[in-house]
């Protein structure tokens, strides 16, 4: 459920910690986007969606996933807080909303995974980059 998300979080943490300026931070975000949105991650997106769907009929699974999702949300939220402290992410952005949103577009990629001719990864990643640049980043 969370292996790849945890890996992405580690990459995001390293990006914030190792970036000397906003340009390096943005480049790091682009690398994480390429990895997380890759067609190679198709199976992991399906597995995650499958577990989420199964949790609707299982209170125990829902509790387990909720606890793990809370851990992931807290870790991603901290990345946003740290990036805001560096002056790279707008302070008027809700870090909770941004945390859920970035996970939503990653999970939402599964819709494109269904079709026989999915969009080019570069087109998808470019749109994400534009969103990040125009919505989340400071000027």
């Amino acid at each position: 459920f969370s292996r790849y998300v945890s890996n992405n979080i580690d990459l995001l943490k390293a990006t914030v910690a190792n970036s000397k300026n906003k340009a390096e931070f943005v480049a790091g975000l682009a690398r994480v986007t390429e990895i997380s949105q890759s067609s190679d991650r198709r199976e992991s997106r399906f597995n995650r969606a499958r577990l989420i769907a199964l949790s609707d009929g299982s209170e125990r699974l829902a509790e387990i996933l909720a606890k793990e999702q809370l851990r992931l949300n807290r870790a991603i939220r901290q990345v946003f807080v740290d990036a805001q402290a560096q002056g790279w992410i707008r302070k008027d952005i809700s870090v909770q909303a941004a945390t859920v949103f970035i996970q939503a577009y990653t999970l939402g990629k599964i819709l494109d995974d269904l079709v026989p001719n999915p969009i080019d990864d570069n087109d998808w990643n470019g749109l994400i980059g534009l969103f990040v640049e125009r919505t989340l980043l400071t000027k």
Side-chain angles (χ1 to χ4, degrees):
F1 177 75
S2 60
R3 177 178 42 161
Y4 289 115
V5 178
S6 291
N7 292 345
N8 295 341
I9 291 168
D10 290 342
L11 291 171
L12 288 169
K13 286 179 182 178
T15 295
V16 173
N18 298 327
S19 295
K20 295 176 188 75
N21 54 50
K22 189 170 98 172
E24 288 183 8
F25 174 67
V26 171
L29 288 180
R31 284 191 297 277
V32 174
T33 297
E34 288 174 15
I35 293 166
S36 68
Q37 304 302 307
S38 169
S39 298
D40 296 340
R41 292 273 179 97
R42 179 184 188 276
E43 184 178 343
S44 71
R45 286 188 287 273
F46 274 92
N47 287 337
R48 193 156 193 230
R50 190 175 297 114
L51 284 169
I52 291 167
L54 288 171
S55 74
D56 187 45
S58 169
E59 188 175 321
R60 179 72 180 128
L61 180 58
E63 289 174 11
I64 292 168
L65 293 184
K67 187 181 291 186
E68 183 61 8
Q69 186 60 52
L70 183 59
R71 181 189 72 80
L72 296 170
N73 287 353
R74 286 178 175 155
I76 295 169
R77 182 186 182 284
Q78 189 59 51
V79 168
F80 277 110
V81 167
D82 293 345
Q84 280 182 330
Q86 293 294 328
W88 302 328
I89 299 285
R90 292 173 32 187
K91 293 202 185 268
D92 64 333
I93 297 291
S94 162
V95 291
Q96 284 96 336
T99 294
V100 172
F101 190 80
I102 66 166
Q103 293 176 85
Y105 68 64
T106 299
L107 192 56
K109 178 94 165 65
I110 199 169
L111 298 172
D112 192 50
D113 291 330
L114 288 169
V115 299
N117 297 313
I119 60 173
D120 183 84
D121 284 347
N122 291 325
D123 291 342
W124 179 251
N125 295 342
L127 180 61
I128 292 169
L130 279 174
F131 169 79
V132 168
E133 176 188 331
R134 295 182 181 176
T135 307
L136 298 178
L137 297 178
T138 57
K139 299 281 181 200

